[in-house]
Amino acid sequence: MSQQTSTTEDETPTQPTTNSPTALPKPFWVGLAFALAAFVVHLSSTSTSGVNGVVVECSYMDYFALLAAVAVAVCAVAVAKAAFARHNPWSKIARPTRGLLFGASAVLLVFAVVHVLRGLGMLGGPC
């Protein structure tokens, strides 16, 4: 991965940037852990009602998927917010580029939407 360093017009250095995924902030990794855990852990309820042995109504909710969607969305906002944070121009530690931060935030938001749909039973539910 490449690092880019530059200076401003008055020769003040700017903090180097990188496209390395290892430079992503902790909220991304926490959000990714929640997103992946929600595919494995389930806290769900299913209710059905039938007439003469035929199912006429079915309801399914996965509460952990809904909780994970909220947590992942909060982490996505935190990652996007990091793109606008002020950085120390004298620091030699490379920070992720804005494109990388926005891309990581978009990935988390997609996971959040998927988990909302899963939690409401619209995607992958038994009904």
Side-chain angles (χ1 to χ4, degrees):
M1 300 290 158
S2 66
Q3 275 191 0
Q4 302 157 354
T5 306
S6 62
T7 58
T8 60
E9 291 177 5
D10 62 351
E11 297 300 320
T12 304
T14 60
Q15 188 174 5
T17 59
T18 182
N19 284 324
S20 173
T22 58
L24 288 169
K26 277 188 181 178
F28 172 76
W29 301 108
V30 171
L32 187 63
F34 262 104
L36 296 177
F39 286 115
V40 179
V41 179
H42 302 283
L43 180 62
S44 60
S45 69
T46 306
S47 67
T48 58
S49 61
V51 176
N52 295 329
V54 177
V55 176
V56 293
E57 185 179 337
C58 180
S59 174
Y60 174 78
M61 293 280 290
D62 187 346
Y63 298 105
F64 187 78
L66 292 173
L67 174 70
V70 171
V72 170
V74 167
C75 289
V77 169
V79 171
K81 186 179 175 191
F84 296 109
R86 290 184 179 245
H87 298 285
N88 180 0
W90 298 99
S91 175
K92 299 295 183 198
I93 300 171
R95 63 180 170 87
T97 61
R98 283 188 174 175
L100 181 63
L101 290 170
F102 286 134
S105 181
V107 167
L108 291 179
L109 286 175
V110 168
F111 273 122
V113 169
V114 167
H115 288 311
V116 166
L117 295 175
R118 285 185 59 248
L120 296 175
M122 297 175 161
L123 184 66
C127 299

